[in-house]
Amino acid sequence: MARDFYEVLGVSRTASQDEIQQAYRKLARKYHPDVNKDPDAEERFKDLNEAYSALSDPKTRARYDRFGEDFRNVPEDFDERVAAGAGGGFRARRTAGAGGPRVRYSTGFGDGFGAEGIDIEDLFGSMFGAGAAPGGVPGADQEAELPLTVEEAYRGGRRTVTLAGPTGQPRRYEVDVPPGVTDGQRIRLAGEGGRGSGDAAAGDLYLRVRIQPHAGFRLDGRDVYVQVPVAPWEAALGATVPVPTPGGGTAKVTVPAGSSSGRRLRLRGEGMPNPRGANGDLYAELRVMVPPTLGARERELFEELAATSSFDPRRTR
């Protein structure tokens, strides 16, 4: 028996999209087959992905709420097609047919359609010509999240992703991630979405990139910000210091003499790659650090500096 998608995710039917996403993330981490070796984990993970793929998209969720387990056999523009050919509101019920269960829809009007209602497959066939074979309804597009680290988003490359495939079984997809992909960007896997009925084409699967928080890098579009610690004498006298880059290497930045914490130094083009234009920039944010403990000579020098210098950082300029 088909499981209720809301029950699978443990949310109410009135749950917000954020609540659905949070529930999915929590359960997917728990039951991912690469993490959970319980024999039932893979099946649970499959159910989670199937439920989330339907409920995460507002249009697909609306069709599921309306038609239940038959929602995959109903095209996104069902109401528009019916309005053009029949009018009225419809209720779904399943009937037996030579090709297996068929979905029939009854209107609130008896004129012209008979007590048995409209067979959606026959209706589409008459509306769009003989080429629309019985049950030839295109599959729905689906969407899932693709979490990436900053480094993975920077480099791009081929990744293996485990999701529920068109048949509902866990499936591994080989995904080509373009270098410099940004948070929220979608990667399309043609024909990997919901199954079409009959000979109709399957929908597409869209992977929406979610770049995970990073301990060292902060992203703003394609610009990258990184904190760079410097010693007091480096900030005061000037220095050349290394800066980590999201590509995994290091760059050099010149710290001007007299720099303070919070100063930003730009490394042009060292941010996230952009296949269609200029790369982002890398901003080194200086953070002046003092030794946690001082040796005798270090203390002596700092005391001498304190006695000699007239600099007052709290003086109003």
Side-chain angles (χ1 to χ4, degrees):
M1 293 181 60
R3 296 188 60 186
D4 182 274
F5 288 162
Y6 292 97
E7 292 182 0
V8 170
L9 294 175
V11 298
S12 70
R13 301 190 75 85
T14 59
S16 67
Q17 294 300 122
D18 285 342
E19 289 172 331
I20 288 173
Q21 184 180 82
Q22 291 170 9
Y24 169 76
R25 285 181 173 178
K26 179 180 178 180
L27 294 171
R29 284 194 297 266
K30 179 178 180 181
Y31 291 103
H32 195 288
D34 291 343
V35 176
N36 192 324
K37 302 305 180 183
D38 189 280
D40 296 330
E42 185 170 307
E43 185 68 21
R44 186 80 167 91
F45 185 71
K46 176 204 71 174
D47 292 341
L48 290 170
N49 277 284
E50 184 180 16
Y52 182 68
S53 68
L55 300 185
S56 61
D57 181 271
K59 291 183 179 179
T60 307
R61 179 182 179 182
R63 294 206 312 280
Y64 175 74
D65 289 344
R66 184 175 178 184
F67 299 108
E69 63 182 286
D70 291 316
F71 78 103
R72 292 188 184 88
N73 296 322
V74 181
E76 294 184 12
D77 58 349
F78 171 73
D79 287 325
E80 289 80 357
R81 296 188 187 188
V82 170
F90 287 74
R91 301 187 304 274
R93 65 187 182 88
R94 299 177 69 84
T95 62
R102 295 162 66 88
V103 184
R104 299 179 67 86
Y105 296 86
S106 299
T107 70
F109 311 101
D111 52 314
F113 299 114
E116 289 301 314
I118 302 172
D119 188 315
I120 191 66
E121 298 168 350
D122 294 340
L123 172 62
F124 288 158
S126 63
M127 288 172 61
F128 301 105
V137 180
D141 291 342
Q142 297 178 345
E143 183 173 300
E145 288 193 351
L146 176 61
L148 297 174
T149 66
V150 172
E151 293 87 350
E152 289 171 337
Y154 179 93
R155 292 190 297 266
R158 200 162 185 81
R159 282 178 55 86
T160 301
V161 180
T162 302
L163 297 170
T167 63
Q169 298 297 321
R171 178 174 175 183
R172 293 183 182 273
Y173 297 88
E174 294 297 323
V175 182
D176 289 318
V177 178
V181 68
T182 56
D183 189 71
Q185 184 174 333
R186 298 199 307 174
I187 300 174
R188 175 173 172 258
L189 302 182
E192 298 291 354
R195 294 173 297 174
S197 63
D199 295 328
D204 297 331
L205 172 62
Y206 290 90
L207 299 179
R208 188 174 294 276
V209 171
R210 293 301 179 199
I211 299 180
Q212 305 301 293
H214 193 283
F217 298 114
R218 177 171 58 86
L219 300 186
D220 183 5
R222 295 189 184 277
D223 292 336
V224 182
Y225 294 81
V226 58
Q227 286 194 345
V228 178
V230 294
W233 47 91
E234 290 177 323
L237 303 175
T240 299
V241 299
V243 178
T245 66
T250 57
K252 295 288 186 179
V253 65
T254 298
V255 178
S259 294
S260 298
S261 285
R263 183 168 189 172
R264 289 179 178 174
L265 306 175
R266 184 173 71 168
L267 288 77
R268 189 184 300 273
E270 293 290 342
M272 299 294 282
N274 185 359
R276 298 181 179 85
N279 292 349
D281 297 327
L282 176 63
Y283 289 89
E285 299 180 324
L286 301 184
R287 186 180 180 193
V288 179
M289 308 289 290
V290 300
T293 57
L294 297 175
R297 179 55 179 160
E298 289 174 317
R299 176 173 292 279
E300 181 182 335
L301 290 173
F302 272 110
E303 288 174 346
E304 183 179 342
L305 176 63
T308 304
S309 178
S310 61
F311 173 65
D312 182 359
R314 292 165 294 281
R315 180 184 300 164
T316 302
R317 293 185 178 180

